[in-house]
């Protein structure tokens, strides 16, 4: 059995007092964290998820609400956990340089510490599938700020397939990437289409019939989205939601 724990489900700005993007995938052979926003440390602590459980952090793209929490995750693993098992950090091309630059800018350069555990960087590329820690991982490009190298992520966790949209606006190939997933975690920042780089409930309703997947859960909810009471029949995530697959 696998499990997905929604550690953070807000948009970039913490709308509704929620936390930014992070999803823990517990697979039979280990755990990976999909995205690690600046508020993810708070989320892991609030949900009682030990950092040590996480074998790999997978970054969908280089925006602060998706990878800004990595520098302090590393530091806490060293000073609070005395971690010894390796930590893999996987992400789009340039992941090592981006994480190093972010850590330096935030005051905790990676090279300034004597780490008690190996930090291993791994690039994931669209189209291929590779082993990342305890899971197999694929990626696909999305329609989002190009300079952030935006990708969606496909996780094969044991017999279960989990697809995560990352951040994206609508593009016609999206349903094909989600096809066959046991769980599709899909961003839905907006209520109505108004920005090319984020999805809206309006577009998902229009294209509902095109998704041929198991459970579809909306996340990355903006201020308007989280204040709705009717989501047109879609499942909507909240911080702390756990789905067993
Ligand atoms: Zn985002
Ligand atoms: Zn983004």
């Amino acid at each position: 059995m696998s499990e997905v724990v929604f550690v953070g489900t807000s948009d970039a700005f913490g709308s509704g007092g929620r936390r930014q993007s992070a999803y823990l995938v517990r697979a039979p052979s280990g755990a990976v964290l999909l995205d690690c926003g600046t508020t993810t440390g708070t989320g892991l602590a609030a949900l009682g998820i030990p950092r040590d459980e996480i074998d790999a952090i997978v970054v969908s793209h280089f925006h602060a609400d998706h990878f800004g929490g990595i520098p302090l995750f590393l530091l806490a693993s060293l000073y609070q956990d005395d971690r010894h098992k390796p930590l893999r950090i996987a992400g789009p091309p340039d992941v090592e340089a981006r994480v190093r630059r972010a850590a330096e800018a935030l005051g905790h350069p990676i090279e300034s510490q004597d780490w008690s555990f190996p930090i291993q960087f791994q690039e994931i590329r669209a189209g291929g599938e590779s082993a990342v820690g305890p899971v197999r991982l694929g990626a696909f490009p999305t329609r989002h700020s190009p300079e952030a190298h935006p990708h969606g992520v496909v996780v094969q966790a044991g017999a279960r397939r989990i697809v995560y949209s990352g951040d994206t606006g609508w593009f016609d190939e999206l349903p094909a990437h989600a096809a066959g997933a046991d769980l599709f975690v899909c961003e839905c920042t907006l209520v109505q289409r108004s920005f090319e780089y984020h999805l809206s409930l309006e577009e998902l309703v229009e294209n509902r019939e095109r998704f041929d997947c198991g459970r579809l859960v909306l996340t990355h909810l903006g201020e308007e989205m989280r204040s709705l009471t009717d989501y047109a029949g879609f499942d909507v995530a909240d911080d702390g939601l756990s789905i067993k697959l």
Side-chain angles (χ1 to χ4, degrees):
M1 194 174 67
S2 293
E3 180 186 16
V4 177
V5 181
F6 291 69
V7 179
T9 59
S10 82
D11 62 355
F13 312 128
S15 289
R18 296 177 182 217
R19 299 178 290 257
Q20 298 157 342
S21 295
Y23 310 93
L24 181 73
V25 178
R26 288 189 167 118
S29 50
V32 298
L33 186 66
L34 305 181
D35 281 337
C36 184
T38 43
T39 52
T40 297
T42 306
L44 295 174
L47 297 171
I49 298 169
R51 279 175 293 268
D52 230 13
E53 183 189 347
I54 295 165
D55 297 288
I57 298 173
V58 179
V59 177
S60 67
H61 67 293
F62 304 118
H63 275 159
D65 59 317
H66 295 260
F67 90 125
I70 292 177
L72 289 179
F73 184 106
L74 293 175
L75 218 57
S77 297
L78 173 64
Y79 287 115
Q80 287 212 318
D81 307 340
D82 190 27
R83 181 180 179 119
H84 282 89
K85 76 172 179 180
L87 178 70
R88 191 167 288 269
I89 301 174
D94 211 25
V95 60
E96 179 167 0
R98 295 283 189 125
V99 170
R100 285 185 182 277
R101 287 216 303 269
E104 185 174 5
L106 292 169
H108 304 290
I110 289 177
E111 49 279 5
S112 72
Q113 299 290 339
D114 192 8
W115 298 99
S116 56
F117 58 96
I119 301 170
Q120 302 162 340
F121 289 95
Q122 182 174 349
E123 292 193 355
I124 52 172
R125 290 175 187 276
E129 198 181 282
S130 49
V132 174
V135 301
R136 291 197 65 77
L137 211 78
F140 55 91
T142 65
R143 185 181 180 191
H144 193 60
S145 316
E147 67 279 5
H149 296 189
H151 284 74
V153 177
V154 179
V155 182
Q156 192 69 44
R160 300 298 181 208
R161 192 172 183 83
I162 297 142
V163 177
Y164 166 45
S165 70
D167 279 4
T168 188
W170 177 262
F171 61 106
D172 275 335
E173 297 78 23
L174 182 62
H177 290 300
D182 296 285
L183 173 65
F184 178 35
V185 179
C186 184
E187 84 120 288
C188 187
T189 310
L190 305 163
V191 175
Q192 291 178 324
R193 58 158 67 77
S194 53
F195 184 51
E196 65 172 321
Y197 288 157
H198 282 297
L199 277 169
S200 65
L201 186 62
E202 182 183 15
E203 290 160 299
L204 292 172
V205 168
E206 280 174 18
N207 291 283
R208 185 197 303 259
E209 303 306 323
R210 298 176 64 183
F211 288 98
D212 179 21
C213 54
R215 196 158 170 192
L216 193 164
V217 177
L218 305 184
T219 189
H220 202 278
L221 310 174
E223 191 63 42
E224 264 195 333
M225 263 303 282
R226 62 128 219 129
S227 58
L228 291 183
T229 50
D230 176 7
Y231 294 101
F234 282 100
D235 279 351
V236 173
D238 199 356
D239 290 5
L241 171 69
S242 157
I243 295 179
K244 293 192 166 62
L245 297 164

